[in-house]
């Protein structure tokens, strides 16, 4: 049987779901999408606790309420006046969300960002998420971009290049914000915190095939003992606990958003057999893979 690729939370997928129609609160085509109010869309793009693999870069702007979100294993809180950027190919999970929560959201396919600008932006927006709180000036500035983009997508005829360059300009603005954070001592992570972030990046890249402390220590040019000590001190969790969490999230995405059978998912995640995978999944989630698919 030929394996099918997992269904990612992409612009195409949203169009196929029928939630991405051009209406008073959302405009989404196959290259970009903008949602003016997630609350008015009944927050139906996401379900709490369900992980998704997002293909496109995403920019969020908190309007009211709060939500806790995991992006590539790192947890963030998005409140009113929060602005954030989620990199492409991110593993996204809503951990908790208030009933009145509302955000604006923008997504753009990497191929939609004009070249050569896209090459300049690639290195910084494909690694980890960026979230900034309580910077009212930048929050309002981001709102101005959203307003311009929202108006531009509704012009007739559709002005594709205008939309492209407005989104690129907004991404450049995030690049400047990130640079400001790097030069601000208040935002400087400690050496151990920076090591933890590098470790998490590697886990997201390699957890499907590499699950030993020795592998990650070698990639970071450290001894396994030293890496284990740092990760436990920074996060309160072990290297293997982080790796197992990443594998469990990957399994959830495949179970919910692909047509792969359990034995195929076990193979995709490099388990020796389906039984071993099922035992691992139940230990991590309290449910068998089949029970999770039915939830």
């Amino acid at each position: 049987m030929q394996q099918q690729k997992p269904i990612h939370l992409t612009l195409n997928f949203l169009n196929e779901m029928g939630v991405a129609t051009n209406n008073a609160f959302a405009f989404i085509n196959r290259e970009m999408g903008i949602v003016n109010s997630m609350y008015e869309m009944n927050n139906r793009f996401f379900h709490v606790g369900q992980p998704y693999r997002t293909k496109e870069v995403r920019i969020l702007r908190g309007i009211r309420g709060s939500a806790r979100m995991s992006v590539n294993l790192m947890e963030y809180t998005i409140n009113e006046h929060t602005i954030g950027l989620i990199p492409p190919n991110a593993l996204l999970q809503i951990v908790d969300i208030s009933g009145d929560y509302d955000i604006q959201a923008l997504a753009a396919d990497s191929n939609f960002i004009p070249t050569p600008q896209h090459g300049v932006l690639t290195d910084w927006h494909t690694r980890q998420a960026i979230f900034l709180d309580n910077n009212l000036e930048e929050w309002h500035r981001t709102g101005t971009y959203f307003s311009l983009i929202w108006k531009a997508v509704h012009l007739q005829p559709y002005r594709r290049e205008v939309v492209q360059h407005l989104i690129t300009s907004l991404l450049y603005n995030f690049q400047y914000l990130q640079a400001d954070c790097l030069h601000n001592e208040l935002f400087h992570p400690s050496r151990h915190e920076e090591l933890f972030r590098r470790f998490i990046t590697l886990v997201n890249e390699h957890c499907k095939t590499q699950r030993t402390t020795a592998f990650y220590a070698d990639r970071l040019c450290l001894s396994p003992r030293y890496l284990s000590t740092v990760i436990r001190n920074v996060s309160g969790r072990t290297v293997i606990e982080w790796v197992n969490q990443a594998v469990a999230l990957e399994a959830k995405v495949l179970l919910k958003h692909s047509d792969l059978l359990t034995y195929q998912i076990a193979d995709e995640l490099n388990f020796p057999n389906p039984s071993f995978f099922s035992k691992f999944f139940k230990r991590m989630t309290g449910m068998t893979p089949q029970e999770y698919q039915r939830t």
Side-chain angles (χ1 to χ4, degrees):
M1 179 184 297
Q2 183 179 4
Q3 292 190 5
Q4 298 186 31
K5 294 295 182 182
I7 300 172
H8 292 63
L9 188 66
T10 65
L11 296 169
N12 289 348
F13 179 46
L14 292 175
N15 273 304
E16 291 163 4
M17 289 173 61
V19 301
T21 55
N22 184 5
N23 57 43
F25 306 106
F27 175 94
I28 300 179
N29 59 31
R30 295 187 179 275
E31 295 181 315
M32 60 78 59
I34 182 170
V35 177
N36 247 350
S37 172
M38 198 72 74
Y39 181 83
E40 295 295 342
M41 296 292 292
N42 298 316
N43 285 312
R44 55 187 171 139
F45 289 91
F46 303 106
H47 298 285
V48 173
Q50 170 63 52
Y52 301 89
R53 178 69 71 181
T54 63
K55 180 184 177 184
E56 301 88 6
V57 61
R58 278 166 166 73
I59 297 172
L60 307 179
R61 183 171 181 266
I63 305 300
R64 68 168 184 264
S66 65
R68 286 190 297 127
M69 178 184 297
S70 171
V71 182
N72 290 336
L73 301 179
M74 301 289 288
E75 190 168 300
Y76 306 88
T77 300
I78 305 168
N79 299 306
E80 180 182 2
H81 301 148
T82 298
I83 54 176
L85 182 147
I86 298 175
N89 199 37
L91 192 60
L92 171 66
Q93 183 179 33
I94 304 297
V95 179
D96 191 28
I97 188 170
S98 65
D100 63 340
Y101 183 62
D102 195 13
I103 61 169
Q104 293 178 316
L106 175 71
D109 188 273
S110 296
N111 294 324
F112 185 62
I113 308 302
T115 57
Q117 291 93 329
H118 175 246
V120 176
L121 295 170
T122 297
D123 288 342
W124 66 268
H125 84 243
T126 57
R127 305 301 289 175
Q128 293 182 348
I130 304 167
F131 284 94
L132 299 175
D133 291 307
N134 299 318
N135 187 329
L136 287 179
E137 181 179 359
E138 291 298 340
W139 183 81
H140 284 297
R141 181 172 292 114
T142 303
T144 299
Y145 274 108
F146 268 80
S147 178
L148 288 170
I149 294 168
W150 178 257
K151 291 175 182 177
V153 298
H154 289 95
L155 292 174
Q156 296 296 330
Y158 177 59
R159 302 180 185 182
R160 182 175 184 271
E161 293 80 6
V162 173
V163 176
Q164 278 183 308
H165 288 282
L166 282 171
I167 293 175
T168 302
S169 178
L170 178 54
L171 289 171
Y172 268 119
N173 196 58
F174 268 94
Q175 187 179 35
Y176 281 106
L177 292 178
Q178 185 187 42
D180 286 343
C181 288
L182 292 175
H183 288 94
N184 189 330
E185 292 185 0
L186 294 176
F187 292 97
H188 276 180
S190 68
R191 181 173 178 274
H192 284 179
E193 289 171 337
E194 179 59 29
L195 179 60
F196 173 68
R197 289 178 177 272
R198 290 170 59 198
F199 163 72
I200 289 296
T201 298
L202 287 173
V203 170
N204 280 291
E205 291 176 355
H206 300 287
C207 68
K208 286 185 177 182
T209 58
Q210 303 293 338
R211 295 174 195 163
T212 65
T213 302
F215 170 82
Y216 295 100
D218 182 66
R219 291 297 297 265
L220 293 166
C221 301
L222 302 169
S223 71
R225 182 185 180 94
Y226 182 73
L227 177 63
S228 296
T229 300
V230 170
I231 299 306
R232 183 182 283 277
N233 288 344
V234 172
S235 68
R237 303 171 69 178
T238 68
V239 168
I240 301 304
E241 284 174 337
W242 280 109
V243 174
N244 285 345
Q245 180 183 341
V247 174
L249 288 173
E250 294 283 0
K252 286 181 175 181
V253 170
L254 291 169
L255 286 165
K256 284 285 191 179
H257 301 291
S258 81
D259 293 328
L260 301 181
L261 301 176
T262 300
Y263 79 90
Q264 294 173 314
I265 294 174
D267 183 62
E268 175 83 9
L269 298 177
N270 284 278
F271 283 92
N273 55 63
S275 176
F276 196 92
F277 166 63
S278 294
K279 290 177 181 177
F280 166 85
F281 191 83
K282 185 164 187 177
R283 175 166 59 86
M284 294 296 297
T285 68
M287 293 182 283
T288 66
Q290 293 77 15
E291 289 171 340
Y292 179 76
Q293 284 182 314
R294 292 194 293 267
T295 59

